[in-house]
Amino acid sequence: MRLGVNAALVHDRIVEGDVAVEGGLIEGVGLSPAGRTGLAVPGFIDVQINGFDGVDFTTADADDYTRVAGCLASTGVTTFQPTLITLPVPDYFGALGRLRSTSITNARILGMHLEGPFLSPVRSGAHDPRNTLSPDPKLTRRFLDAGPVTYMTIAPELPGALDLIEMLVAEGVTVALGHTDADAPTANAAFDRGARSVTHIFGAQRPWRHRDPGISGAALVRDDVFITAIVDGVHLAPEAVKLAANAAGVRFVLITDAISAAGRPDGRYLLGDRTVILDHGACRLENGTLAGSVLTMDQAVRNMIDLGFDPLRAVAAATSAPAELVRRPDLGSLEPGTAADVCVLDDSYQVIRTIVGGIESFAL
């Protein structure tokens, strides 16, 4: 099947010509004759999203996942990783069990991101600090047995955290550091043990200082650590985005951290067991603490472009970078033989078509 596009983003260059898909895979790029319009890019990947359109993944069932995937398709997302904040322990098992029994066709679900409960109570952010726990290998094993845990955020300064990181890495789980008061030496020890990324850079973590750079300083100067960021114009000042993106280079990963309020009007919504107020684009607890976002991935890409980044660089932060972070070489690329997950953009970088596994999931 030809897509009818006039160009495609392949690695870091534009290839003129059409794209063909067959059997759920990219069959060819740069084909003649080219289509009339549209730039094909890899489908967007969101490794941190808590919910969308009234759905919170803490309580989501298969129908909810299908509905969310349909909403995300309109934003170019073909792969996402549902995320659970710090919750009462029984809530994790229910959510993991429901995800394990869920099968959808209009998006790929990487597995579950547990953003808790092994986080610092002094850097809990919007999470309820009463739900935070010290790292517990036996409880972690129960989580892994309950459902598809693919990613976990941990505070490395907690007792037993470094050993737990090694355990998770051995199980194939991507480990991120976040909601942490760790200093730079502790962060580096965790990265040396296999932690691979930082969760929402600069947010809910020890602040950077010139003699105490903390986790952000440690991560930004390493070439083996990915930096995830919420580029919504609320969580980070433009200078902070530029600092992180310029330092991280190809390791810079866009996330939405969207909650159930995304796609909905102002009002009160749930984030796990927390009530969040959406008001004029910002999600906050009643005490004013930021609590996720209503950002979409296509808007995050456009926000990077508006900050002066090359459009191809912005697209890479939503495609090839997250694919490399989660070690999925079959995703985030339009090389022949990779998954036929495609987002087609117009000249304004608006999404006009989304394809998952060679099957159209959205079109204007």
Side-chain angles (χ1 to χ4, degrees), residues 154 156 160-170 175 177 190 193-195:
I154 293 176
L162 297 181
D163 289 339
L164 187 67
I165 289 169
E166 284 195 345
M167 170 188 166
L168 288 166
V169 170
V175 178
L177 306 185
R193 294 283 193 104

Side-chain angles (χ1 to χ4, degrees), residues 6-258:
N6 60 19
L9 173 61
V10 183
H11 290 310
D12 57 354
R13 64 191 181 95
I14 299 293
V15 176
E16 302 293 334
D18 204 355
V19 174
V21 302
E22 184 65 36
L25 302 176
I26 301 295
E27 184 180 46
V29 297
L31 305 177
S32 296
R36 295 195 317 174
T37 187
L39 171 68
V41 305
F44 297 152
I45 301 169
D46 193 351
V47 301
Q48 184 163 340
I49 176 171
N50 308 280
F52 204 95
D53 192 32
V55 173
D56 183 274
F57 291 134
T58 305
T59 56
D61 60 19
D63 289 341
D64 292 327
Y65 278 108
T66 297
R67 180 158 66 88
V68 169
C71 295
L72 296 180
S74 69
T75 72
V77 171
T78 57
T79 300
F80 66 100
Q81 188 166 240
T83 300
L84 303 179
I85 65 165
T86 304
L87 301 167
V89 167
D91 291 352
Y92 286 109
F93 294 110
L96 286 166
R98 286 186 294 273
L99 180 58
R100 182 175 56 186
S101 62
T102 292
S103 177
I104 65 174
T105 59
N106 54 344
R108 300 181 195 273
I109 299 178
L110 290 171
M112 192 72 86
H113 173 185
L114 301 187
E115 191 188 8
F118 308 132
L119 305 180
S120 168
V122 301
R123 298 290 181 188
S124 57
H127 300 209
D128 188 338
R130 295 171 297 182
N131 292 332
T132 60
L133 300 172
S134 294
D136 183 336
K138 291 183 179 179
L139 178 58
T140 301
R141 170 52 58 192
R142 292 175 61 202
F143 289 153
L144 298 178
D145 291 343
V149 177
T150 48
Y151 198 107
M152 194 165 189
T153 296
I154 293 176
E157 73 275 18
L158 299 179
L162 297 181
D163 289 339
L164 187 67
I165 289 169
E166 284 195 345
M167 170 188 166
L168 288 166
V169 170
E171 293 286 341
V173 177
T174 299
V175 178
L177 306 185
H179 289 270
T180 171
D181 199 40
D183 58 16
T186 303
N188 278 313
F191 294 136
D192 290 342
R193 294 283 193 104
R196 192 165 169 81
S197 68
V198 171
T199 293
H200 45 58
I201 188 75
F202 302 128
Q205 56 195 239
R206 189 187 195 97
W208 186 93
R209 298 185 179 91
H210 64 291
R211 285 191 293 273
D212 180 14
I215 183 177
S216 57
L220 288 170
V221 299
R222 294 180 68 118
D223 60 8
D224 59 348
V225 176
F226 289 81
I227 305 298
T228 71
I230 310 167
V231 183
D232 63 348
V234 177
H235 283 78
L236 298 172
E239 295 83 358
V241 175
K242 292 177 181 180
L243 170 64
N246 287 335
V250 297
R251 300 175 289 114
F252 188 76
V253 175
L254 288 170
I255 58 173
T256 65
D257 202 21

